[in-house]
Amino acid sequence: MLNYLIACRSLTYAQRAARTLERNGITAAVIRMPRELSEASCAYAVRVSERKLAAAQQALLAANVPFGAIHPDRSKGGRA
């Protein structure tokens, strides 16, 4: 199954996003954003599964947790 990366502008926002998702029953992991996907050197992302992506977006929007672009996770751990 493919995973997706939800970009966050800082570690604090990524941690807040992960906590919000976990409270909504969505498994999430905070990771460093791959360099090729990030313009900022300190960007972080939250990894979620493809089938939970829509629910994750809705949960973050409902909780007013800011997030950026969403990318497929093409790293070695991108497929579960």
Side-chain angles (χ1 to χ4, degrees):
M1 174 183 308
L2 185 63
N3 289 317
Y4 280 83
L5 302 176
I6 300 173
C8 299
R9 61 181 163 185
S10 70
L11 177 58
T12 301
Y13 281 115
Q15 291 169 332
R16 186 183 302 171
R19 280 193 307 272
T20 299
L21 296 177
E22 293 287 340
R23 280 195 303 268
N24 284 277
I26 301 168
T27 301
V30 175
I31 65 164
R32 292 284 307 234
M33 184 66 110
R35 199 170 291 219
E36 63 272 7
L37 296 177
S38 174
E39 296 172 5
S41 61
C42 60
Y44 285 81
V46 178
R47 181 185 290 146
V48 296
S49 71
E50 180 178 32
R51 62 189 163 102
K52 297 287 186 172
L53 181 60
Q57 288 176 286
Q58 290 298 323
L60 294 174
L61 289 171
N64 291 320
V65 177
F67 62 94
I70 298 173
H71 304 278
D73 184 2
R74 303 210 189 281
S75 67
K76 187 176 184 181
R79 291 196 175 267

